[in-house]
Amino acid sequence: MIIDDFLIRACAAALAVALVAGPLGCFVVWRKMAYFGDALAHASLLGLALGFILKIDLMAGVVAGGLVFALLLFVLERQKRLEADTLLGILAHGSLALGLIALALAPALKMDLQGLLFGDVLSVSLADVLWAWGGALGVLAGLALLWRPLLSITAHEELARVDGLQVQRTRFLFLMLMALTVAVAMKVVGVLLITALLVIPPAAARPFARSPEAMAVIAALFGTLSVFLGLFASLSIDLPAGPAIVSASVLLFTGSMFFRRM
Amino acid sequence: MPPESILIEASQLSLSYGALKVLDQVSLKVRKQAIVTVVGPNGAGKTTLLKVLLGLIDPDAGQVTRSPLLRIGYVPQKLEIPTTLPLTVKRFLQLAYDRSTVPTSSNVIEAALDQVGAPKVLDTPMQGLSGGELQRILLARALLRQPELLVLDEPVRGVDLTGQADLYDLIAQLRDELGLGVLLVSHDLHLVMQATDEVLCLNGHVCCHGHPEAVSRHPEFVALFGPRIAETMALYPHHHDHTHR
């Protein structure tokens, strides 16, 4: 049987996302930032729409949208009037709504909205694959550099600060890495399901891990397994690919809960 | 003593949250080898004062002066490691930040655990420690930084009574052995008074400060804690094997 090119491209792109989402997602889980991931993804959709209207590269628009969002939140978090999660809710849904309006107003945009929201991994181009791997490797390299300070501030932020660590810089760089990851993952699982890949594989990895690094590696493995299982199910019983990948990871997570009881 | 023996000095610190005045012109000095205890009722601004001294909060007015390159070991009031984060005691202690990139060796960590009388719990997850164990681990972490000043926020929280006395003894002993300055915050007065050189009674403003015995007789202290507590305090004798100033 000849393995189709589109399948190889799909696997390659999804694999890149799984490899980066696992380790980065560990921090999302540890730092309780799942909702932030969602908000970031919504903002990226707005970035994409604006990118189209301004006639710049769409991926660049997505990355820029995420970065601006992260920056905005970083600044706004310093005000004391609103709790962070309320602020996130406003920004997330505000940018989702604006993004959907912008997409509707751009008549020439023949974008498949469903593809944006739920991913369209089976139609990725070679350029998309290269984007995904470039972004993934960049994020992984950044995460490796940031690993120790990030772990320090996750354990106890004030202790880290008294130790002399640059807490604000570390947090800011982490937000940048998340924005990049969302951009990379958008094409594969879509705006609405990105957080799933950030949260579910690390959650499934937790019972098996005895160190932060082990959890990151196991999460990457579970993410990879979800990709293969999901794509296989998608091909053999004709399921939408993105949701199938996420469902596979939920299945793995459910299995991991039994391990905990043993 | 010469002025350079002052490790950290705060002068006229004021801080408000909205209309609420948390710190009102608070001044304080910690010298080498001295234990300074901040006491006061809940909401007196004790923790806030520590955080300003540590540089975690900026005051509205006033100044904090540190001796150059002061190394601080900080023991926070509580430590809540997320349950999702698999972190052993050893790994946690290795995260004590310094500029070297080499992780602290097991030997060094075990020596620090010995020093604070913590059991050999290197491979225990942080979430599995008892209150007393956790306090000692935090103290060990502070010592790993080779501090000149130890800052402790309610170090005996969640520790049983015997454990509390042990911990205060340990702090006094560390001061003697390592020549540290110690600044600690507490609201349980009895045990603290014995081990301390200077007490600062805080209730937004500094009610009174000085030698523990003198403070315990100060009218403002009595008014704040009630005559009964003040009396018990004065009954506690405390000995000093060396003098300051």
Side-chain angles (χ1 to χ4, degrees):
Chain A
M1 181 185 142
I2 298 160
I3 297 175
D4 293 303
D5 272 356
F6 81 91
L7 188 54
I8 294 175
R9 286 198 302 271
C11 275
L15 203 58
V17 171
L19 284 180
V20 71
L24 194 86
C26 284
F27 279 103
V28 174
V29 168
W30 297 332
R31 298 177 61 75
K32 304 186 176 79
M33 290 173 73
Y35 193 33
F36 176 81
D38 259 341
L40 196 59
H42 294 171
S44 303
L45 188 71
L46 176 59
L48 180 130
L50 291 180
F52 181 81
I53 291 168
L54 298 173
K55 294 191 173 38
I56 56 172
D57 183 76
L58 290 189
M59 277 309 261
V62 171
V63 175
L67 292 183
V68 168
F69 178 82
L71 201 62
L72 196 64
L73 192 76
F74 189 73
V75 173
L76 285 177
E77 258 186 355
R78 294 173 175 212
Q79 57 80 40
K80 301 270 185 305
R81 276 178 53 208
L82 285 176
E83 290 293 331
D85 74 321
T86 307
L87 194 64
L88 261 182
I90 294 168
L91 289 178
H93 299 290
S95 52
L96 180 62
L98 281 176
L100 291 174
I101 288 175
L103 285 175
L105 286 182
L109 187 49
K110 298 271 190 289
M111 270 277 181
D112 170 17
L113 188 59
Q114 182 144 345
L116 284 174
L117 293 180
F118 300 105
D120 196 4
V121 70
L122 294 178
S123 72
V124 292
S125 66
L126 184 62
D128 290 332
V129 174
L130 292 178
W131 247 107
W133 274 97
L137 292 177
V139 170
L140 281 177
L143 190 61
L145 286 175
L146 216 55
W147 190 266
R148 188 164 175 226
L150 206 48
L151 206 53
S152 255
I153 69 171
T154 302
H156 196 290
E157 196 167 302
E158 288 184 338
L159 265 178
R161 228 162 105 190
V162 172
D163 283 0
L165 201 136
Q166 299 283 332
V167 171
Q168 296 298 340
R169 194 181 66 187
T170 306
R171 286 180 50 188
F172 181 70
L173 289 174
F174 177 66
L175 294 189
M176 297 287 116
L177 291 183
M178 271 191 78
L180 265 173
T181 305
V182 165
V184 165
M186 199 173 194
K187 190 86 186 186
V188 176
V189 285
V191 170
L192 295 181
L193 292 176
I194 285 172
T195 313
L197 279 192
L198 287 172
V199 171
I200 299 171
R206 175 62 182 101
F208 304 96
R210 297 214 50 197
S211 74
E213 293 74 19
M215 184 160 150
V217 170
I218 297 170
L221 286 178
F222 278 166
T224 305
L225 201 56
S226 309
V227 162
F228 285 127
L229 283 174
L231 285 179
F232 178 76
S234 167
L235 281 178
S236 49
I237 42 179
D238 198 26
L239 300 177
I245 292 172
V246 172
S247 301
S249 72
V250 171
L251 217 60
L252 287 175
F253 170 73
T254 311
S256 79
M257 289 175 71
F258 289 101
F259 178 83
R260 194 184 292 256
R261 289 206 196 105
M262 272 168 19
Chain B
M1 271 198 183
E4 63 262 29
S5 72
I6 294 174
L7 294 173
I8 196 164
E9 178 171 9
S11 60
Q12 306 285 310
L13 295 178
S14 292
L15 179 68
S16 304
Y17 291 133
L20 182 70
K21 207 155 193 155
V22 186
L23 295 177
D24 187 7
Q25 307 211 339
V26 177
S27 298
L28 161 115
K29 267 179 215 160
V30 184
R31 293 187 160 80
K32 273 182 192 162
Q33 303 226 323
I35 300 184
V36 176
T37 304
V38 179
V39 298
N42 286 330
K46 303 185 296 284
T47 297
T48 309
L49 174 62
L50 280 201
K51 289 190 176 176
V52 171
L53 287 166
L54 290 168
L56 296 171
I57 302 177
D58 289 329
D60 296 338
Q63 264 194 343
V64 176
T65 323
R66 298 174 174 196
S67 77
L69 301 172
L70 178 68
R71 293 180 73 89
I72 298 179
Y74 172 42
V75 176
Q77 197 175 97
K78 54 186 168 184
L79 179 81
E80 280 161 2
I81 304 280
T83 48
T84 46
L85 176 59
L87 200 66
T88 60
V89 168
K90 178 180 174 185
R91 200 62 217 285
F92 173 73
L93 291 174
Q94 282 177 337
L95 285 176
Y97 178 75
D98 55 20
R99 289 185 199 286
S100 78
T101 46
V102 189
T104 322
S105 74
S106 292
N107 289 342
V108 175
I109 289 177
E110 277 180 14
L113 289 181
D114 267 349
Q115 206 168 15
V116 300
K120 295 267 180 293
V121 286
L122 284 189
D123 294 323
T124 309
M126 286 299 289
Q127 294 88 351
L129 296 173
S130 74
E133 282 170 338
L134 182 61
Q135 288 305 328
R136 283 173 196 266
I137 298 299
L138 285 171
L139 200 54
R141 185 194 193 277
L143 292 180
L144 280 171
R145 306 243 318 131
Q146 302 180 312
E148 299 153 79
L149 174 68
L150 210 50
V151 177
L152 308 107
D153 193 354
E154 307 247 3
V156 298
R157 226 176 83 114
V159 180
D160 60 42
L161 270 176
T162 9
Q164 294 188 5
D166 288 349
L167 263 175
Y168 283 122
D169 285 347
L170 174 63
I171 291 165
Q173 182 196 334
L174 289 172
R175 182 268 311 267
D176 296 338
E177 282 172 9
L178 305 173
L180 307 175
V182 178
L183 174 63
L184 69 91
V185 150
S186 184
H187 65 235
D188 55 315
L189 299 160
H190 296 73
L191 293 157
V192 174
M193 290 294 204
Q194 305 174 63
T196 196
D197 300 303
E198 197 178 325
V199 174
L200 185 111
C201 173
L202 190 72
N203 189 21
H205 66 287
V206 178
C207 299
C208 49
H209 73 110
H211 198 266
E213 237 167 303
V215 165
S216 65
R217 294 205 192 92
H218 194 282
E220 268 207 75
F221 182 89
V222 177
L224 202 56
F225 289 101
R228 242 179 43 143
I229 287 180
E231 241 171 68
T232 1
M233 307 290 0
L235 287 177
Y236 270 89
H238 39 274
H239 308 286
H240 293 275
D241 52 2
H242 60 285
T243 50
H244 299 284
R245 251 168 283 189

